[in-house]
Every structure is written in C-alpha cells, then in structure tokens.
Amino acid sequence: MNPASIHELKDKFGRIHNYLRISLIEKCNLRCKYCMPADGIPLSPKASLMSAEEVLEFARIFVGLGVNKIRLTGGEPLLRKDIYEILEGLSKLPVDLSLTTNGLLIDRHVDNFRKLGVKNINFSLDTLREERFFEITRRTGFQKTLDNFRILHDQGFNLKINVVLVKGMNEDELVDLVNLTRDFDVSVRFIEFMPFDGNSWDCSKMVSEAEVLEKLGAHFGTERITPLPNEENFTARKFKITDYRGDFGIISSVTNPFCGTCNRIRLTANGRIKNCLFSNQETDLLAAMRAGENVETLILESILKKKAVRAGMDNMEKLSDPVLHSDNRSMIAIGG
Ligand code: SAM
Ligand code: SF4
C-alpha cells in the first residue's frame, strides 16, 4: 500500500473516520466505580507513554489522513504536566479541538483554553449530591467540581455534561440532572453503563434509553419532551424540555448502538490504535513510529479490520459474555 495514496480512513463498510480521540494519560485523580477497579489498574511504564512531541506527530499524521476533529481524554487529561504544550501544538492544526474532563482542575487551565481557542468541553458529573459523589468517585472534590462547572458555563464554553447512568447509583437523579438544562444552557448526556475489564458490569445495572424516556415522560409530561434533529455522526439522540435553556441526550451504545455512522478512532496513552471502543485488538503505533516504520499503513490496516457493530459483539448475548468484554481494557486506560 502506498501511503501517499491514503487520503481518508474509509473502512470496509464505507464509514469515513475523521474523528480521533487521544488518551493522554492512564492516571486519574478520581476512581469512578464504573470506570476502573477500586485498586486501580496496572500502569504502562513511563517510557512507553507518548511524549508531547509524539502526540503532536501522531496528530499531524492523522490530520494528513483526513482527521478534522480531535478530542483529548484519559484518565484525566488535565493531570498531564505538558498539557499546555499539547494544546498549543494541536491548536495550530486544522481541527475542531475538544476535551473530556472530570472538571476538578479546570480553574487552573481555563485561561489557557480561552487563549488557545479550546471551546468544547465534555464535563463528567454523575450526581448533584455531595455524599454520592464520594461514593461514586471514591474521592472528595464535589464542591470544586461544581465551582468549575460554573466557571466554564459563565465564561460561555460549549458544555456537555456526561452522566453515566447506573441502576442503584444515580438513576433517581434523572429529573434533577435534566433540570440543569432549565437553569443552564448545557447539553446533559446520559450514557448507558458499558462493560469493561473490572467494572462489575451486568446488564441489570443498565438504564436503557426507553426507561429514561419513560421516567422523564412521567415527570415532565411526554408533550413537553421534544426530539431534536440528529447531528451528523451523532452518538446521542437529543431532546429538549419545552422552554428549557439547554437540551439532553441519550447515548445508548449498548441497547441501541450508533455503529452505522461511527467516525471515531482512538489512540491510547501508550500509542496504540483502537478501531472501536469495544475492541480488544490494538496496534502499537508508537513502537512502529519509534522504529521508523510506516505508521499510515498500520492505521489504515486497523481501520480496514473494523467490524460493523461493537467489535463483533453484535447482540446482547455476546456483549454480556464476560470472556469477550473482560479482555478489553478498563475505560480509564482506553479514554472514553
Ligand atoms: N477523566 C475524564 C472524565 O471523566 O471525563 C476523561 C476520561 S473518562 C474515561 C471519559 C468518559 O468515559 C467519561 O464521561 C466517563 O463518564 C465515561 N465512562 C467511563 N466508564 C464508563 C462506562 N463503564 N460506561 C460508560 N461510560 C463510561
Ligand atoms: Fe477518572 Fe474519568 Fe474514569 Fe472517573 S471516568 S475514574 S474521572 S477517567
């Protein structure tokens, strides 16, 4: 394959991959129950993690292959000491740049976000109750998180609030969380609990899209819940409560996946490409780049191996099979 001839990352099903999610770090300052085991995960040796220069080199390669949207994630991306250098380098590329964060360190970085034009922030917040925040994240920091949410909101950032809904954890806060969209111009997105290594997933803990809509309909009245048009390559079906400022969405990767329009590829903090969130197949691009090999060809090969639906787990039976999903890394080591 001649790399000069690769202009876009099209898979066997005609899906063009123009959206790269880069995980910058495997560490986190929280320990969310649904994301990682209580005793943490084995971390990659420092030398096998991407340096800032390597992150930027990969970004340039992917942009050359048609990527025009990059999201930084982790672990907690704002824990990277060289986050400014990375953001500054990426801000010079022709990409829509965004970040997913738990929000705890926002106040230290917000001026740099404004300076570098980083406007789109996905902010994870699963509860509006302090005690519950501690139960879910196994750490303190609730008030700081809320204060940082206000800072971003008041400074006019495009804010999406990510809520992982888990039965017995926070599904009783559905209405309160939707009411955030009455008071703030934000998009609240409810994410179905997904299975990963060590997160004690079982399908009875999931709150499906149908249940969310039923509960909200019972509270607000179905006539006040208006579906919004789907965005291109959408992952969330969006709705709005009449007269509320913001909107809410449901990301149902498990019960009703969006694979047909998927345009995403992932690069882990140790430089491996994952062609699907659910896939345990990875290609070590970092080792290849350090060895001076042709990375473009490896990227395209990975895209061509992408399965039509959830890495081949095309039904609930396969998805519920612990052998299949526990081979996959924890979310913290993938970068959601
Ligand atoms: N630390 C940052 C944060 O929490 O926003 C970025 C990394 S985190 C892995 C990215 C997203 O993945 C978060 O919104 C988190 O809620 C989501 N996530 C983690 N584990 C999940 C799971 N098992 N099912 C669904 N979403 C999950
Ligand atoms: Fe950390 Fe984000 Fe995972 Fe929570 S969801 S443990 S904040 S990486």
Side-chain angles (χ1 to χ4, degrees):
M1 203 177 318
N2 173 9
S5 65
I6 311 173
H7 302 299
E8 58 183 12
L9 295 172
K10 195 191 270 191
D11 71 5
K12 283 190 300 198
F13 307 94
R15 295 172 296 195
I16 294 172
H17 294 74
N18 62 341
Y19 180 8
L20 174 67
R21 298 168 76 101
I22 306 178
S23 174
L24 291 182
I25 189 166
E26 295 173 350
K27 291 185 185 158
C28 191
N29 41 5
L30 298 181
R31 291 281 177 282
C32 303
K33 287 202 275 198
Y34 51 75
C35 178
M36 65 187 295
D39 45 2
I41 56 156
L43 297 173
S44 304
K46 200 160 183 261
S48 65
L49 298 175
M50 293 185 288
S51 66
E53 295 78 39
E54 286 165 336
V55 169
L56 296 175
E57 183 55 24
F58 276 125
R60 284 189 281 270
I61 292 172
F62 276 97
V63 167
L65 298 172
V67 161
N68 56 18
K69 187 170 175 190
I70 293 183
R71 171 174 298 281
L72 299 179
T73 176
E76 176 47 45
L78 297 180
L79 282 176
R80 278 273 305 223
K81 302 245 171 348
D82 49 9
I83 184 72
Y84 183 78
E85 189 184 339
I86 294 172
L87 285 173
E88 191 188 29
L90 294 176
S91 70
K92 293 182 182 139
L93 295 177
V95 290
D96 169 5
L97 183 58
S98 56
L99 183 93
T100 301
T101 173
N102 61 31
L104 268 175
L105 300 175
I106 284 289
D107 47 322
R108 298 190 200 166
H109 297 279
V110 70
D111 292 343
N112 289 333
F113 293 167
R114 272 206 324 274
K115 185 167 149 199
L116 298 173
V118 182
K119 292 198 211 78
N120 304 315
I121 312 277
N122 284 14
F123 192 108
S124 299
L125 180 66
D126 303 303
T127 178
L128 299 173
R129 302 182 194 169
E130 181 152 20
E131 268 172 43
R132 189 170 275 180
F133 180 92
F134 182 73
E135 273 164 37
I136 297 174
T137 67
R138 305 170 175 126
R139 292 288 184 273
T140 54
F142 177 70
Q143 196 52 49
K144 183 81 181 162
T145 308
L146 285 194
D147 292 348
N148 282 342
F149 163 75
R150 279 297 312 220
I151 291 178
L152 288 177
H153 178 268
D154 294 351
Q155 296 197 17
F157 283 83
N158 296 332
L159 260 183
K160 290 182 180 157
I161 309 296
N162 284 354
V163 181
V164 180
L165 269 186
V166 182
K167 264 196 194 133
M169 182 179 96
N170 61 350
E171 94 274 23
D172 55 344
E173 288 188 68
L174 249 180
V175 168
D176 293 344
L177 288 158
V178 167
N179 276 335
L180 278 178
T181 72
R182 175 190 59 207
D183 307 324
F184 301 99
D185 182 11
V186 295
S187 193
V188 174
R189 293 130 39 94
F190 298 107
I191 308 176
E192 278 179 355
F193 181 32
M194 293 185 270
F196 295 103
D197 190 24
N199 77 351
S200 314
W201 182 86
D202 91 62
C203 66
S204 68
K205 292 187 189 161
M206 268 186 356
V207 188
S208 69
E209 177 173 349
E211 279 174 88
V212 171
L213 287 176
E214 194 188 310
K215 285 195 174 134
L216 294 177
H219 179 85
F220 291 104
T222 44
E223 71 291 348
R224 290 189 64 210
I225 304 178
T226 312
L228 299 176
N230 289 331
E231 289 164 1
E232 201 187 351
N233 303 112
F234 65 101
T235 53
R237 265 172 280 273
K238 294 198 355 176
F239 303 86
K240 193 173 172 69
I241 307 286
T242 311
D243 298 333
Y244 278 19
R245 297 172 68 190
D247 57 51
F248 69 93
I250 304 172
I251 303 184
S252 52
S253 318
V254 179
T255 59
N256 195 358
F258 305 87
C259 305
T261 53
C262 182
N263 62 343
R264 292 148 185 248
I265 9 168
R266 295 180 154 78
L267 191 59
T268 62
N270 60 350
R272 290 160 193 237
I273 185 173
K274 267 176 105 70
N275 63 17
C276 172
L277 184 57
F278 288 95
S279 170
N280 55 18
Q281 308 287 309
E282 300 175 355
T283 306
D284 191 345
L285 294 187
L286 185 58
M289 188 158 88
R290 287 179 180 175
E293 289 166 23
N294 186 292
V295 173
E296 282 93 340
T297 310
L298 293 176
I299 296 172
L300 190 62
E301 278 170 10
S302 167
I303 298 290
L304 289 173
K305 283 191 207 143
K306 181 157 169 159
K307 301 271 173 46
V309 174
R310 279 189 312 233
M313 291 185 279
D314 47 11
N315 59 37
M316 279 304 279
E317 213 179 344
K318 288 187 198 161
L319 195 73
S320 304
D321 181 343
V323 178
L324 291 178
H325 69 244
S326 69
D327 268 358
N328 199 0
R329 296 163 177 245
S330 296
M331 187 66 133
I332 185 165
I334 301 174

